[in-house]
Amino acid sequence: MQPISVITGRIVALPVQDIDTDQIIPARYLKVTDKSGLAEGLFYAWRFDAAGKPNPDFVLNRPEAQGATILVAGRNFGCGSSREHAPWALQGYGFKAVISPYFADIFRNNALKNGLLTVQVDEETYQQLVRHFEEDPTAEVTIDLAAQTVTLPDGRQTRFPIDPFTKHCLLHGVDQLGFLLNEEAAIAAYEASHPARVVTTARS
Amino acid sequence: MPRTLFDKIWDAHIVRPQTAETPAVLYIDLHLIHEVTSPQAFTELRQRGLKVRRPDRTLATMDHSTPTTPRGPDGIIPVVDAQAAAQLRQLEQNCADFGIPLFALGSEYQGIVHVIGPELGLTQPGMTIVCGDSHTSTHGAFGALAFGIGTSEVAHVLATQCLLQNRPKTMEVRVDGRLGRGVTAKDIILAIIARYGVGAGTGHVFEYTGEAIRALSMEERMTICNMSIEGGARAGMIAPDDTTFQYIAGRPFAPKGKAWDEAVAYWRTLPTDEGAVYDRTITLDASELKPMITYGTNPGMGMPIDGRIPTPEELPDPAARQALDKALRYMDLRPGQPLLGHKIDVVFLGSCTNSRISDLRLAASILKGRKVADGVRMMVVPGSQQVKKQAEAEGLDKIFRDAGAEWREAGCSACLGMNDDKVPPGKYAVSTSNRNFEGRQGPGARTFLASPLTAVASAIEGVVADPRRYVG
């Protein structure tokens, strides 16, 4: 994975709470065996009408939202299904980070494993970001992962939390599976010293 | 120091403890996989030249994208959707290449992943269980720590049988009192989510306690734990007891003989110790509950069946008012409106929430000798081939068919709109599944979540109906 340090980009605000992963990408787009082409399904039901034509009222379809790389969304973003296709679709569309008052646990895990930053901010900062987008959609926001700060278009700065291990992995491009594979000796020792709770899943 | 059920299972699975800089390395006892969230994980393994570390602790089935259309004369379930067929073939190939046991479409033990684990006796107290599916919380009903993971983590578990995890917080969900007539486990969990919200459990593991929970059967406990994720909690657990042990005993993968005695002795040490502390406790009085139904587009937008949809003035903040407005526009409903008597088009009895034999028995007990109303399509989808076989042995399929309902093959079916079973655009469904999100049951589909009893009462009347008049 590519290291991430600073993300500067335009924001697009989707001020809806509890956006579930079925909205981010409907299940019918999950019949794939790779990660390509998922951006087509991103927010499908909101982006397109029943005939498949772009819905001009939906924020991502507006001219001023083109090229935005940071999504600002209401609280509990990514609730529901564990589908990792949700962060894959957001990244495929061009998003590098999502800012929200808080994220659903599984979505946050999935996003960070793919280098899609989840930036948790207080309700007031969130509201300010929504207003900034509405007043000037070309305004840019900077997310500094090392400093754990978000700089708003008006220069105001706020900190965001991230667990130290995930931060380290993102900053240095550390591969988490590689990290786990290095624990082989400890895993083997655990197995040797603990009774098998599952003897086998193979039918006798 | 007194410990909770969660603490005991967590502690027993630590390969490497959590530090200030690194998460814990947590050992996983059982890894369940299915066709939708595993293909990219196997690709990752192939690219890195890795093996599946413990294929003997991994089990695969096919459930999400599978059709549930009745079998042809050759006994085969036809897969018409080419993309789904390719995904199913890929799972078969992956299981063959990596040596993972697979219950393929239509085979003896195939079914919804969260139905077959318990049914086979693989789901046991004290285990850590994961699957690339958020409803893995279901298995917590046995006193296991079970939670959904994404595909990256599926690859982690395939390759190492471990996950990197930060310790979550614990929340006791205490349900006191006794359930009234016609009120079920599904109504308990819908009431919890309606009261505390879809984000309440974020960062936490639920442990359900109290008199009402202890009185539930294993299958009812699974219904409750299943929807923990709808309350924002990745996992939900219930302490194991004699109800749990009786359910597991004699199942194909249950311990036998001396191993059984040793297992039960261990399982009896798992319940939360007297004096153990949860990070938070929330409560509900089961005796005050009525059958529940949802009116909106998340599972927290629920109310008693005879209630009225809230008006914006009754809601706490602007974001909630905006969410209600958006939901009611999608549902084509009005603030203050009752749902009793609202016309419906589809009834779906199935899903990992409510497709087990006791759900089908309960539904059939009311439907016997009655008819599904004209203009209503009722789909009955058993959770597994074993549930289907048992139901047919008891003649339940005949009761459903005689009433005019469809008796289908096992799978996730109309719960998630990714196979052929869908609710048409703009149509209303009473569904025993777990999610009423926009488009969840098909583009434009409008979902009322409810118990199997409410679903059947509504099927009979052709409108949203109170099941209590059918229950003696």
Side-chain angles (χ1 to χ4, degrees):
Chain A
M1 196 161 57
Q2 290 299 311
I4 297 169
S5 55
V6 176
I7 296 170
T8 296
R10 299 219 315 269
I11 53 172
V12 57
L14 191 51
V16 176
Q17 66 177 28
D18 306 317
I19 295 178
D20 57 81
T21 52
D22 275 84
Q23 301 320 307
I24 299 173
I25 184 160
R28 61 186 180 281
Y29 290 95
L30 273 48
K31 289 184 279 191
V32 293
T33 53
D34 60 10
K35 302 178 187 178
S36 64
L38 292 169
E40 282 172 43
L42 182 73
F43 295 120
Y44 189 90
W46 295 348
R47 263 166 76 203
F48 300 99
D49 65 17
K53 292 214 180 68
N55 167 13
D57 297 330
F58 183 60
V59 65
L60 289 191
N61 291 334
R62 286 194 225 136
E64 65 269 25
Q66 304 313 305
T69 55
I70 300 169
L71 179 66
V72 176
R75 65 185 181 229
N76 199 26
F77 184 80
C79 60
S81 161
S82 62
R83 58 191 70 170
E84 199 162 320
H85 309 68
W88 294 336
L90 285 161
Q91 285 184 309
Y93 190 83
F95 288 115
K96 295 178 178 168
V98 185
I99 302 178
S100 174
Y102 69 90
F103 295 88
D105 291 329
I106 303 178
F107 175 83
R108 190 192 55 238
N109 270 319
N110 289 343
L112 292 172
K113 293 248 178 342
N114 289 277
L116 177 71
L117 266 192
T118 51
V119 178
Q120 185 178 337
V121 296
D122 59 76
E123 189 72 30
E124 191 194 328
T125 303
Y126 159 70
Q127 296 290 355
Q128 283 181 11
L129 284 163
V130 173
R131 278 198 297 276
H132 277 298
F133 171 71
E134 283 164 359
E135 286 160 13
D136 178 11
T138 67
E140 290 196 329
V141 162
T142 294
I143 300 164
D144 184 331
L145 178 59
Q148 294 179 228
T149 56
V150 184
T151 307
L152 273 57
D154 59 10
R156 199 177 80 86
Q157 213 170 57
T158 181
R159 277 179 67 80
F160 66 90
I162 187 163
D163 78 85
F165 180 72
T166 301
K167 179 178 170 178
H168 172 80
C169 291
L170 292 170
L171 281 173
H172 302 286
V174 172
D175 155 38
Q176 295 199 13
L177 177 50
F179 181 92
L180 261 176
L181 287 164
N182 283 335
E183 294 287 346
E184 172 55 33
I187 299 167
Y190 177 91
E191 286 180 335
S193 61
H194 288 73
R197 293 186 188 84
V198 174
V199 177
T200 180
T201 49
R203 290 183 63 202
S204 48
Chain B
M1 195 172 125
R3 292 186 299 166
T4 64
L5 168 62
F6 166 80
D7 295 332
K8 293 178 191 183
I9 301 177
W10 178 270
D11 294 350
H13 288 82
I14 295 299
V15 171
R16 179 83 74 189
Q18 186 170 337
T19 68
E21 290 82 33
T22 53
V25 176
L26 188 75
Y27 195 79
I28 302 303
D29 293 317
L30 177 63
H31 187 196
L32 303 168
I33 63 172
H34 62 82
E35 74 278 15
V36 177
T37 58
S38 67
Q40 298 87 350
F42 284 105
T43 302
E44 177 97 21
L45 261 58
R46 285 196 179 92
Q47 283 169 351
R48 293 170 180 250
L50 296 169
K51 291 189 301 185
V52 172
R53 195 173 192 287
R54 298 304 302 251
D56 57 340
R57 294 178 188 182
T58 312
L59 181 71
T61 192
M62 299 172 170
D63 55 2
H64 280 66
S65 65
T66 53
T68 65
T69 34
R71 290 166 195 250
D74 52 1
I76 290 172
I77 302 167
V79 185
V80 179
D81 181 332
Q83 224 187 348
Q87 201 174 48
L88 297 172
R89 275 197 308 275
Q90 186 65 53
L91 180 66
E92 252 168 340
Q93 186 68 52
N94 291 337
C95 289
D97 290 355
F98 291 90
I100 295 169
L102 166 69
F103 294 125
L105 181 60
S107 65
E108 190 184 4
Y109 288 103
Q110 176 253 336
I112 306 175
V113 64
H114 311 308
V115 175
I116 70 168
E119 174 179 281
L120 288 161
L122 275 169
T123 299
Q124 295 169 22
M127 282 185 178
T128 47
I129 302 172
V130 297
C131 173
D133 190 286
S134 62
H135 291 113
T136 308
S137 58
T138 310
H139 306 263
F142 291 79
L145 174 60
F147 53 93
I149 57 178
T151 300
S152 294
E153 291 185 319
V154 170
H156 293 186
V157 181
L158 288 173
T160 69
Q161 204 59 26
C162 288
L163 281 175
L164 293 165
Q165 292 288 299
N166 290 309
R167 190 190 186 96
K169 291 180 179 163
T170 54
M171 193 183 303
E172 181 187 24
V173 183
R174 198 175 67 238
V175 188
D176 297 316
R178 288 185 188 187
L179 287 173
R181 186 173 53 89
V183 188
T184 66
K186 182 65 166 286
D187 303 301
I188 292 179
I189 189 63
L190 285 173
I192 290 167
I193 302 164
R195 177 170 305 177
Y196 294 101
V198 292
T202 307
H204 291 76
V205 166
F206 285 156
E207 183 186 339
Y208 301 95
T209 66
E211 179 191 8
I213 300 296
R214 295 260 70 86
L216 297 175
S217 72
M218 271 326 294
E219 297 192 349
E220 291 170 318
R221 293 178 188 184
M222 282 188 253
T223 298
I224 301 243
C225 288
N226 173 272
M227 290 188 71
S228 300
I229 185 67
E230 267 59 68
R234 263 178 106 177
M237 316 171 80
I238 293 174
D241 58 12
D242 287 339
T243 302
T244 321
F245 311 148
Q246 280 162 21
Y247 188 91
I248 299 168
R251 293 186 180 270
F253 288 87
K256 309 268 187 306
K258 185 164 167 280
W260 169 260
D261 296 335
E262 286 168 3
V264 173
Y266 171 60
W267 296 343
R268 288 195 191 283
T269 69
L270 290 170
T272 295
D273 298 328
E274 187 74 37
V277 178
Y278 300 93
D279 292 295
R280 195 183 158 198
T281 294
I282 59 176
T283 61
L284 190 78
D285 183 349
S287 63
E288 291 174 356
L289 294 184
K290 294 178 178 179
M292 295 288 294
I293 193 157
T294 65
Y295 53 82
T297 54
N298 73 46
M301 295 179 175
M303 65 181 189
I305 187 97
D306 56 0
R308 288 174 181 276
I309 296 170
T311 58
E313 300 75 49
E314 293 164 13
L315 296 180
D317 65 59
R321 289 194 279 278
Q322 187 202 19
L324 175 71
D325 179 62
K326 185 174 181 344
L328 295 188
R329 270 186 287 126
Y330 179 83
M331 295 293 290
D332 195 20
L333 297 169
R334 296 179 313 282
Q337 181 183 349
L339 281 188
L340 273 182
H342 192 284
K343 190 181 170 310
I344 59 164
D345 309 285
V346 176
V347 170
F348 172 54
L349 177 58
S351 86
C352 56
T353 316
N354 283 123
S355 65
R356 297 179 181 82
I357 190 68
S358 58
D359 297 312
L360 302 187
R361 284 179 188 144
L362 192 62
S365 71
I366 297 183
L367 206 52
K368 191 172 186 177
R370 294 191 170 103
K371 293 281 182 198
V372 173
D374 286 344
V376 173
R377 177 189 186 193
M378 180 169 178
M379 287 184 268
V380 184
V381 185
S384 70
Q385 294 296 337
Q386 290 294 306
V387 170
K388 180 166 181 275
K389 190 173 151 192
Q390 178 65 30
E392 288 172 353
E394 295 176 20
L396 305 184
D397 59 319
K398 188 168 186 310
I399 294 173
F400 290 121
R401 282 208 191 93
D402 288 351
E406 296 171 27
W407 178 247
R408 302 181 68 90
E409 288 289 333
C412 297
S413 184
C415 175
L416 83 166
M418 84 171 291
N419 50 64
D420 304 328
D421 305 344
K422 291 187 177 74
V423 176
K427 300 294 185 188
Y428 291 93
V430 177
S431 178
T432 67
S433 56
N434 40 58
R435 289 181 176 144
N436 51 352
F437 299 148
E438 290 183 29
R440 171 77 180 185
Q441 296 195 284
R446 293 166 173 157
T447 303
F448 300 132
L449 298 176
S451 73
L453 280 180
T454 301
V456 173
S458 303
I460 294 165
E461 298 191 22
V463 296
V464 172
D466 190 329
R468 288 173 292 186
R469 52 181 292 208
Y470 294 92
V471 183

